[in-house]
């Protein structure tokens, strides 16, 4: 079996920075352990990184979420130190979903894809749906214990929505 773990936006600004939450801080050790397990089993791990420019507030997203975050080259943009120590391809993305990750996963012929990370209700759901669209006959799963949303309620709502789209919730 060929498995892929996609670690979504485990960046400082989403953990303890400008958009951080205690729920995001709580999942860091679980995500690091999940990555470690995948690596030990010889499976692939890739990472997405929300990436903005200095003019973020002028973008459409910035007008709707006027909190500067994940500006490339800043500490907030960096992966958390417990996550950054792991090898794996990094995909920078300007928006919620990463089309390149969906293409990458489908071209590599994985038998199973799992996602973890932040934020369940924005970037995790976007990427899970993109992967599912790119690989409709491949099981796609999200580990709910290794994800956190903007709020607990929106986290739960996103998990329910993904489940309705035939994404397995672990």
């Amino acid at each position: 079996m060929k498995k892929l773990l996609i670690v979504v936006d485990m960046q400082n600004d989403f953990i303890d920075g400008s958009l951080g939450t205690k729920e995001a801080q709580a999942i860091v050790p679980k995500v690091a352990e999940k990555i470690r397990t995948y690596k030990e089993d010889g499976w692939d791990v890739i990472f997405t990184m929300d990436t903005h420019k200095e003019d973020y507030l002028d973008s459409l997203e910035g007008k709707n979420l006027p909190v500067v975050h994940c500006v490339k080259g800043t500490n907030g943009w960096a992966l958390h130190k417990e996550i950054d120590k792991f090898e794996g391809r990094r995909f920078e993305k300007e928006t919620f979903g990463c089309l390149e990750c969906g293409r990458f996963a489908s071209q590599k012929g994985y038998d199973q894809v799992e996602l973890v990370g932040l934020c369940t209700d924005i970037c995790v759901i976007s990427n899970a749906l993109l992967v599912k669209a790119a690989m409709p006959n491949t099981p796609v799963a999200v580990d709910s214990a290794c994800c956190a949303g903007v709020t607990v309620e929106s986290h739960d709502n996103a998990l329910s929505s993904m489940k309705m789209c035939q994404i397995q919730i672990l």
Side-chain angles (χ1 to χ4, degrees), residues 127-139:
N127 285 288
L129 290 170
L130 285 171
V131 169
K132 189 65 178 165
M135 306 173 72
N137 292 311
T138 301

Side-chain angles (χ1 to χ4, degrees), residues 117-136:
L118 301 168
C119 294
T120 318
D121 42 351
I122 302 173
C123 293
V124 173
I125 191 172
S126 296
N127 285 288
L129 290 170
L130 285 171
V131 169
K132 189 65 178 165
M135 306 173 72

